[in-house]
Amino acid sequence: VALPAGGVARRSRELAGQMRAIPISKERHQMLAQAQIEEFHRNCFLTVPGLFSAQEVATLRADLDTDMQETGPFVIREGKSDIVRAVYAPHQRRRSYADLVTDARLLGAVQQMQAGGLYLYQLKVNTKLPFIGEDWAWHYDYAVWGAVDGLARPDLISVAVFLDDVTEFNGPMVFVPGSHRIYQDRPLSGVGGHKAHVEPDDFAPTTAEMQAMVNDSGLVAPKGKAGSVLFFNASVVHGSATNISPFSRRLAIVTYNAVDNLPAPGRQRADYIVCPPTAALTVRQPAPRQPEAVA
Ligand SMILES: O=C(O)CCC(=O)C(=O)O
Protein backbone atom coordinates (compact mmCIF):
# COMPACT_ATOMS: atom_id res chain seq x y z
CA VAL A 1 0.00 0.00 0.00
CA ALA A 2 1.44 3.36 -0.96
CA LEU A 3 1.75 5.63 2.03
CA PRO A 4 0.13 9.01 1.75
CA ALA A 5 2.73 11.74 1.30
CA GLY A 6 3.15 14.59 3.76
CA GLY A 7 3.55 15.07 7.48
CA VAL A 8 2.41 12.80 10.28
CA ALA A 9 -0.77 14.76 10.99
CA ARG A 10 -1.81 14.68 7.34
CA ARG A 11 -1.07 10.96 7.01
CA SER A 12 -3.09 10.37 10.15
CA ARG A 13 -6.11 12.26 8.75
CA GLU A 14 -5.87 10.43 5.43
CA LEU A 15 -5.67 7.03 7.12
CA ALA A 16 -8.69 7.84 9.27
CA GLY A 17 -10.61 8.59 6.07
CA GLN A 18 -9.47 5.35 4.45
CA MET A 19 -10.47 3.33 7.54
CA ARG A 20 -14.01 4.64 7.24
CA ALA A 21 -14.05 3.64 3.57
CA ILE A 22 -13.14 -0.01 4.19
CA PRO A 23 -16.03 -2.37 3.44
CA ILE A 24 -17.19 -3.90 6.69
CA SER A 25 -19.22 -6.83 7.83
CA LYS A 26 -21.82 -6.78 10.57
CA GLU A 27 -21.47 -10.50 11.32
CA ARG A 28 -19.74 -11.84 14.41
CA HIS A 29 -16.78 -13.89 13.25
CA GLN A 30 -16.06 -17.35 14.62
CA MET A 31 -12.29 -17.12 14.82
CA LEU A 32 -11.77 -19.23 17.94
CA ALA A 33 -13.03 -22.63 19.04
CA GLN A 34 -15.03 -22.87 22.26
CA ALA A 35 -12.11 -24.66 23.95
CA GLN A 36 -9.82 -21.72 23.18
CA ILE A 37 -12.29 -19.24 24.62
CA GLU A 38 -12.57 -21.33 27.77
CA GLU A 39 -8.77 -21.50 28.04
CA PHE A 40 -8.62 -17.71 27.76
CA HIS A 41 -11.17 -17.21 30.54
CA ARG A 42 -9.41 -19.75 32.77
CA ASN A 43 -5.83 -18.51 32.38
CA CYS A 44 -6.51 -14.97 31.15
CA PHE A 45 -4.17 -15.41 28.20
CA LEU A 46 -4.22 -17.51 25.04
CA THR A 47 -1.65 -18.04 22.29
CA VAL A 48 -2.72 -18.84 18.74
CA PRO A 49 0.16 -19.76 16.42
CA GLY A 50 0.55 -18.81 12.78
CA LEU A 51 -2.31 -16.34 12.40
CA PHE A 52 -0.33 -13.94 10.21
CA SER A 53 1.66 -14.91 7.14
CA ALA A 54 5.35 -14.19 6.54
CA GLN A 55 4.37 -11.53 4.02
CA GLU A 56 2.02 -9.79 6.46
CA VAL A 57 4.66 -9.82 9.19
CA ALA A 58 7.25 -8.44 6.75
CA THR A 59 4.94 -5.53 5.90
CA LEU A 60 4.31 -4.76 9.58
CA ARG A 61 8.06 -4.86 10.29
CA ALA A 62 8.90 -2.63 7.32
CA ASP A 63 6.25 -0.10 8.34
CA LEU A 64 7.56 -0.16 11.91
CA ASP A 65 11.12 0.48 10.66
CA THR A 66 9.82 3.55 8.84
CA ASP A 67 7.75 4.67 11.79
CA MET A 68 10.70 4.37 14.18
CA GLN A 69 12.44 7.08 12.14
CA GLU A 70 9.65 9.56 12.81
CA THR A 71 10.18 12.15 15.46
CA GLY A 72 7.25 12.72 17.73
CA PRO A 73 6.08 12.13 21.28
CA PHE A 74 4.68 8.78 20.17
CA VAL A 75 8.22 7.31 20.07
CA ILE A 76 9.22 6.26 23.60
CA ARG A 77 12.93 5.79 24.43
CA GLU A 78 14.68 3.47 26.88
CA GLY A 79 15.42 5.73 29.85
CA LYS A 80 17.32 8.80 28.72
CA SER A 81 18.91 7.02 25.73
CA ASP A 82 18.05 7.26 22.02
CA ILE A 83 17.08 3.58 21.94
CA VAL A 84 13.46 3.05 20.94
CA ARG A 85 11.41 1.22 23.60
CA ALA A 86 7.93 1.56 22.11
CA VAL A 87 6.10 3.29 19.31
CA TYR A 88 2.51 4.33 19.96
CA ALA A 89 -0.32 4.58 17.46
CA PRO A 90 1.35 3.43 14.23
CA HIS A 91 -2.22 2.92 12.96
CA GLN A 92 -2.48 6.72 12.77
CA ARG A 93 0.38 6.79 10.26
CA ARG A 94 0.68 3.34 8.57
CA ARG A 95 -1.98 1.51 6.66
CA SER A 96 -0.85 -1.98 7.72
CA TYR A 97 -1.41 -1.08 11.38
CA ALA A 98 -4.72 0.65 10.65
CA ASP A 99 -5.86 -2.59 9.02
CA LEU A 100 -4.89 -4.64 12.10
CA VAL A 101 -7.47 -2.84 14.23
CA THR A 102 -10.49 -4.29 12.45
CA ASP A 103 -8.86 -7.51 11.29
CA ALA A 104 -11.15 -10.46 12.02
CA ARG A 105 -8.27 -12.44 13.50
CA LEU A 106 -7.97 -9.84 16.27
CA LEU A 107 -11.27 -8.01 16.61
CA GLY A 108 -13.38 -11.04 15.62
CA ALA A 109 -11.63 -13.21 18.19
CA VAL A 110 -11.93 -10.59 20.94
CA GLN A 111 -15.63 -10.17 20.17
CA GLN A 112 -15.99 -13.88 20.91
CA MET A 113 -14.26 -13.40 24.28
CA GLN A 114 -16.11 -10.29 25.46
CA ALA A 115 -19.71 -9.41 24.69
CA GLY A 116 -20.72 -5.86 23.77
CA GLY A 117 -19.26 -3.18 21.53
CA LEU A 118 -15.51 -2.58 21.46
CA TYR A 119 -13.42 0.40 20.43
CA LEU A 120 -9.67 0.78 20.02
CA TYR A 121 -8.17 1.94 23.30
CA GLN A 122 -4.50 1.71 22.45
CA LEU A 123 -2.13 0.41 19.80
CA LYS A 124 1.61 0.29 20.35
CA VAL A 125 4.66 -1.70 19.32
CA ASN A 126 7.08 -2.66 22.08
CA THR A 127 10.37 -2.98 20.25
CA LYS A 128 12.69 -4.71 22.79
CA LEU A 129 15.80 -4.45 20.64
CA PRO A 130 18.64 -7.04 20.61
CA PHE A 131 21.10 -6.79 23.54
CA ILE A 132 19.54 -3.55 24.86
CA GLY A 133 15.77 -3.94 25.14
CA GLU A 134 14.84 -3.25 28.74
CA ASP A 135 12.42 -5.07 31.04
CA TRP A 136 8.77 -4.27 31.85
CA ALA A 137 7.96 -4.35 35.56
CA TRP A 138 5.34 -6.76 36.94
CA HIS A 139 1.90 -5.21 36.73
CA TYR A 140 -1.61 -5.75 35.46
CA ASP A 141 -2.79 -3.24 32.89
CA TYR A 142 -5.99 -2.24 34.65
CA ALA A 143 -3.95 -1.07 37.64
CA VAL A 144 -2.65 1.67 35.34
CA TRP A 145 -5.76 2.26 33.24
CA GLY A 146 -8.09 2.30 36.22
CA ALA A 147 -5.92 4.64 38.27
CA VAL A 148 -4.60 6.92 35.53
CA ASP A 149 -7.49 7.01 33.06
CA GLY A 150 -10.30 6.40 35.53
CA LEU A 151 -11.80 3.41 33.70
CA ALA A 152 -14.55 1.97 35.85
CA ARG A 153 -14.08 -1.67 34.80
CA PRO A 154 -11.25 -3.90 33.54
CA ASP A 155 -13.23 -4.73 30.39
CA LEU A 156 -10.29 -4.57 28.01
CA ILE A 157 -8.53 -7.28 26.04
CA SER A 158 -5.11 -6.86 24.44
CA VAL A 159 -3.77 -8.77 21.48
CA ALA A 160 -0.01 -9.01 20.92
CA VAL A 161 0.98 -9.87 17.35
CA PHE A 162 4.49 -11.38 17.31
CA LEU A 163 6.61 -9.49 14.78
CA ASP A 164 9.58 -11.74 15.64
CA ASP A 165 9.94 -15.27 16.90
CA VAL A 166 9.40 -15.01 20.65
CA THR A 167 11.70 -17.39 22.51
CA GLU A 168 13.05 -17.97 26.02
CA PHE A 169 16.03 -15.81 25.04
CA ASN A 170 14.62 -12.49 23.86
CA GLY A 171 12.49 -11.36 26.78
CA PRO A 172 9.07 -12.96 26.28
CA MET A 173 6.11 -11.66 28.23
CA VAL A 174 5.65 -13.73 31.40
CA PHE A 175 2.24 -14.25 33.03
CA VAL A 176 0.93 -15.47 36.37
CA PRO A 177 -1.90 -17.71 35.13
CA GLY A 178 -5.24 -16.93 36.67
CA SER A 179 -3.96 -13.85 38.54
CA HIS A 180 -6.82 -11.84 37.04
CA ARG A 181 -9.03 -13.46 39.64
CA ILE A 182 -6.92 -11.92 42.42
CA TYR A 183 -6.85 -8.38 41.14
CA GLN A 184 -9.97 -7.81 39.11
CA ASP A 185 -11.93 -6.29 41.97
CA ARG A 186 -9.08 -4.57 43.76
CA PRO A 187 -9.94 -0.95 44.42
CA LEU A 188 -7.65 1.47 42.68
CA SER A 189 -6.63 4.79 44.08
CA GLY A 190 -6.51 7.73 41.72
CA VAL A 191 -3.11 8.68 40.38
CA GLY A 192 -3.44 12.03 38.73
CA GLY A 193 -1.59 14.13 36.26
CA HIS A 194 -0.45 11.65 33.62
CA LYS A 195 -0.83 12.98 30.11
CA ALA A 196 1.24 10.48 28.15
CA HIS A 197 3.17 7.20 28.53
CA VAL A 198 3.19 5.57 31.97
CA GLU A 199 5.82 3.03 33.01
CA PRO A 200 4.24 0.25 35.08
CA ASP A 201 6.86 0.30 37.85
CA ASP A 202 4.72 2.41 40.19
CA PHE A 203 1.85 -0.05 39.82
CA ALA A 204 3.74 -3.28 40.55
CA PRO A 205 2.53 -5.76 43.18
CA THR A 206 4.87 -6.01 46.17
CA THR A 207 7.54 -8.71 46.12
CA ALA A 208 5.59 -10.54 48.86
CA GLU A 209 2.44 -10.49 46.72
CA MET A 210 4.40 -11.71 43.70
CA GLN A 211 5.99 -14.50 45.74
CA ALA A 212 2.60 -15.69 47.03
CA MET A 213 1.00 -15.55 43.59
CA VAL A 214 3.82 -17.44 41.92
CA ASN A 215 3.96 -20.04 44.69
CA ASP A 216 0.29 -20.62 44.04
CA SER A 217 0.06 -20.43 40.25
CA GLY A 218 3.57 -20.50 38.76
CA LEU A 219 4.72 -18.52 35.75
CA VAL A 220 4.13 -19.05 32.04
CA ALA A 221 5.99 -17.38 29.17
CA PRO A 222 4.01 -17.88 25.94
CA LYS A 223 6.37 -18.28 23.00
CA GLY A 224 5.88 -18.74 19.27
CA LYS A 225 6.93 -17.97 15.76
CA ALA A 226 6.52 -14.55 14.20
CA GLY A 227 2.92 -14.23 13.06
CA SER A 228 1.55 -15.85 16.20
CA VAL A 229 -0.88 -13.95 18.39
CA LEU A 230 -1.24 -13.68 22.18
CA PHE A 231 -4.51 -12.53 23.77
CA PHE A 232 -4.49 -11.32 27.39
CA ASN A 233 -6.91 -9.52 29.62
CA ALA A 234 -6.34 -6.33 31.60
CA SER A 235 -6.32 -7.96 35.04
CA VAL A 236 -3.65 -10.61 34.57
CA VAL A 237 -0.27 -9.95 36.17
CA HIS A 238 2.58 -9.93 33.68
CA GLY A 239 6.02 -8.50 33.02
CA SER A 240 9.11 -9.27 30.97
CA ALA A 241 12.87 -9.39 31.36
CA THR A 242 15.65 -7.54 29.57
CA ASN A 243 16.57 -8.79 26.12
CA ILE A 244 20.24 -9.79 26.35
CA SER A 245 20.01 -11.96 23.22
CA PRO A 246 21.03 -10.97 19.69
CA PHE A 247 17.40 -11.33 18.58
CA SER A 248 14.82 -8.56 18.56
CA ARG A 249 11.42 -9.12 20.13
CA ARG A 250 8.88 -6.79 18.61
CA LEU A 251 5.24 -7.07 19.71
CA ALA A 252 2.42 -5.05 18.17
CA ILE A 253 -0.14 -4.77 20.98
CA VAL A 254 -3.71 -3.82 20.11
CA THR A 255 -6.03 -3.13 23.07
CA TYR A 256 -9.81 -3.09 22.79
CA ASN A 257 -12.08 -1.54 25.41
CA ALA A 258 -15.83 -1.77 25.99
CA VAL A 259 -17.60 1.23 24.44
CA ASP A 260 -19.26 2.07 27.77
CA ASN A 261 -16.04 1.96 29.83
CA LEU A 262 -14.60 5.36 29.00
CA PRO A 263 -11.85 7.44 30.64
CA ALA A 264 -13.20 9.61 33.42
CA PRO A 265 -13.97 13.23 32.53
CA GLY A 266 -10.77 15.25 32.32
CA ARG A 267 -8.58 12.13 32.34
CA GLN A 268 -8.26 11.58 28.55
CA ARG A 269 -4.54 11.23 27.80
CA ALA A 270 -2.95 12.21 24.48
CA ASP A 271 -4.69 10.64 21.47
CA TYR A 272 -1.66 8.57 20.49
CA ILE A 273 -1.60 6.92 23.96
CA VAL A 274 -5.30 6.43 24.65
CA CYS A 275 -7.35 6.66 21.49
CA PRO A 276 -10.48 8.79 21.66
CA PRO A 277 -13.62 6.71 22.12
CA THR A 278 -15.52 5.77 18.98
CA ALA A 279 -18.63 3.82 18.09
CA ALA A 280 -18.24 0.05 18.26
CA LEU A 281 -15.75 -1.26 15.70
CA THR A 282 -16.95 -3.67 13.06
CA VAL A 283 -14.86 -6.52 11.69
CA ARG A 284 -13.35 -6.02 8.25
CA GLN A 285 -13.58 -8.99 5.95
CA PRO A 286 -10.24 -10.84 6.17
CA ALA A 287 -7.98 -10.73 3.12
CA PRO A 288 -7.49 -14.11 1.41
CA ARG A 289 -4.96 -16.20 3.36
CA GLN A 290 -1.41 -16.16 1.96
CA PRO A 291 -0.32 -19.68 0.99
CA GLU A 292 2.97 -19.52 2.93
CA ALA A 293 2.31 -19.25 6.69
CA VAL A 294 5.08 -18.25 9.06
CA ALA A 295 4.38 -20.82 11.75
O1 LIG B 1 6.43 -5.78 25.98
C1 LIG B 1 6.44 -6.38 27.06
O2 LIG B 1 7.24 -7.27 27.31
C2 LIG B 1 5.47 -6.08 28.15
C3 LIG B 1 4.49 -5.08 27.76
C4 LIG B 1 3.55 -4.71 28.81
O3 LIG B 1 3.48 -5.28 29.84
C5 LIG B 1 2.66 -3.61 28.58
O4 LIG B 1 2.81 -2.96 27.55
O5 LIG B 1 1.78 -3.40 29.41
Side-chain angles (χ1 to χ4, degrees):
V1 174
L3 289 173
V8 167
R10 182 170 152 206
R11 284 203 294 280
S12 175
R13 280 195 302 277
E14 289 179 5
L15 273 178
Q18 288 171 17
M19 279 174 81
R20 278 194 295 276
I22 292 168
I24 52 176
S25 156
K26 292 200 179 343
E27 297 154 25
R28 292 223 148 206
H29 287 255
Q30 300 303 312
M31 301 304 303
L32 300 174
Q34 188 56 30
Q36 290 173 301
I37 297 168
E38 285 165 13
E39 181 181 334
F40 175 79
H41 288 305
R42 190 167 53 250
N43 290 336
C44 54
F45 60 87
L46 172 78
T47 313
V48 183
L51 275 193
F52 286 80
S53 70
Q55 192 181 334
E56 289 174 307
V57 170
T59 302
L60 290 166
R61 284 180 186 163
D63 280 354
L64 174 65
D65 287 345
T66 311
D67 216 35
M68 283 169 68
Q69 307 308 317
E70 300 274 8
T71 47
F74 46 83
V75 181
I76 308 298
R77 313 279 165 181
E78 300 280 17
K80 296 198 185 319
S81 74
D82 288 337
I83 297 159
V84 175
R85 174 168 176 77
V87 180
Y88 278 93
H91 65 290
Q92 294 175 354
R93 301 172 296 277
R94 312 282 161 216
R95 181 54 184 266
S96 59
Y97 286 89
D99 283 351
L100 267 189
V101 175
T102 51
D103 191 301
R105 291 165 289 185
L106 275 57
L107 178 60
V110 172
Q111 284 177 335
Q112 286 182 269
M113 296 167 163
Q114 180 173 303
L118 298 165
Y119 75 98
L120 177 69
Y121 186 72
Q122 187 172 88
L123 199 168
K124 66 178 174 181
V125 182
N126 289 350
T127 44
K128 204 173 269 204
L129 296 175
F131 298 114
I132 47 180
E134 293 288 347
D135 64 301
W136 291 80
W138 293 117
H139 67 288
Y140 60 104
D141 291 334
Y142 182 61
V144 182
W145 296 332
V148 173
D149 301 327
L151 301 189
R153 305 189 311 275
D155 293 351
L156 307 97
I157 294 179
S158 294
V159 194
V161 180
F162 293 5
L163 302 186
D164 296 294
D165 294 353
V166 175
T167 69
E168 63 269 49
F169 306 117
N170 61 358
M173 291 181 71
V174 181
F175 292 87
V176 184
S179 50
H180 59 311
R181 285 188 286 272
I182 301 171
Y183 283 111
Q184 60 191 352
D185 298 323
R186 180 165 153 154
L188 294 155
S189 54
V191 176
H194 293 93
K195 295 284 176 238
H197 172 71
V198 177
E199 285 294 334
D201 304 58
D202 290 342
F203 298 86
T206 64
T207 50
E209 286 173 323
M210 280 306 301
Q211 184 73 64
M213 256 187 279
V214 174
N215 285 350
D216 191 50
S217 306
L219 293 172
V220 177
K223 298 180 269 294
K225 295 280 191 193
S228 302
V229 163
L230 167 66
F231 299 89
F232 57 101
N233 77 13
S235 302
V236 64
V237 174
H238 61 278
S240 67
T242 307
N243 183 8
I244 57 169
S245 83
F247 313 113
S248 62
R249 193 236 57 182
R250 292 163 290 186
L251 299 180
I253 304 181
V254 183
T255 300
Y256 300 98
N257 187 15
V259 287
D260 60 350
N261 189 38
L262 305 182
R267 296 271 199 88
Q268 176 69 44
R269 283 188 278 164
D271 285 3
Y272 62 89
I273 298 277
V274 172
C275 303
T278 63
L281 294 167
T282 314
V283 166
R284 185 173 51 90
Q285 290 292 355
R289 182 67 205 244
Q290 303 296 326
E292 184 209 355
V294 178

